[in-house]
Amino acid sequence: MKAMTSEEYLEFLGNLFEAMLVLIVAKNADYTVGKGAFANFDKAHELGVDPMVGVLLRMEDKFQRIKSFIKSGELKVKGESVEDAFKDIIGYAGICLGMLEQDRREP
């Protein structure tokens, strides 16, 4: 295995975050339907749950998938890779950071 240089890693991250932005924009359009950036997570209020807790639970699901992959070397659900789980965690972290920013803006 050839070690990745710092320059290669920075290029990898640039490509990853560019692709993540495209993915997040598409997923946001599917889930929120123009009702606010966090509309699907805001529904957690109806169950008495803070929306950020809802996001964290989703992240925990992804961590569990990654743990399963590490233990067995495979995932049972075909079509969803361990890379997808890590990308979902990045997306959920962005949602949490966006919620924190939104909270700072609201009076």
Side-chain angles (χ1 to χ4, degrees):
M1 172 178 63
K2 181 183 173 226
M4 187 181 281
T5 66
S6 295
E7 291 80 17
E8 289 170 329
Y9 176 61
L10 292 175
E11 182 179 350
F12 166 79
L13 285 179
N15 292 334
L16 172 65
F17 291 141
E18 188 175 310
M20 285 300 306
L21 182 59
V22 171
L23 179 63
I24 289 166
V25 167
K27 284 189 172 193
N28 192 267
D30 285 347
Y31 286 107
T32 62
V33 194
K35 297 177 184 169
F38 314 115
N40 55 326
F41 291 105
D42 289 340
K43 293 280 187 187
H45 284 297
E46 295 173 8
L47 301 172
V49 176
D50 184 289
M52 192 169 298
V53 171
V55 179
L56 294 174
L57 289 171
R58 298 282 182 143
M59 290 175 84
E60 181 58 31
D61 291 342
K62 301 303 173 177
F63 283 119
Q64 290 300 334
R65 287 182 55 73
I66 293 165
K67 288 177 191 176
S68 292
F69 175 79
I70 290 169
K71 275 185 151 178
S72 69
E74 67 178 359
L75 292 173
K76 300 296 181 196
V77 176
K78 301 302 177 202
E80 286 190 42
S81 68
V82 70
E83 289 89 352
D84 291 334
F86 279 113
K87 287 176 183 177
D88 285 341
I89 290 169
I90 292 168
Y92 288 136
I95 290 169
C96 288
L97 289 167
M99 287 176 166
L100 290 171
E101 176 64 22
Q102 176 179 267
D103 289 347
R104 279 190 216 105
R105 293 177 176 192
E106 292 181 355

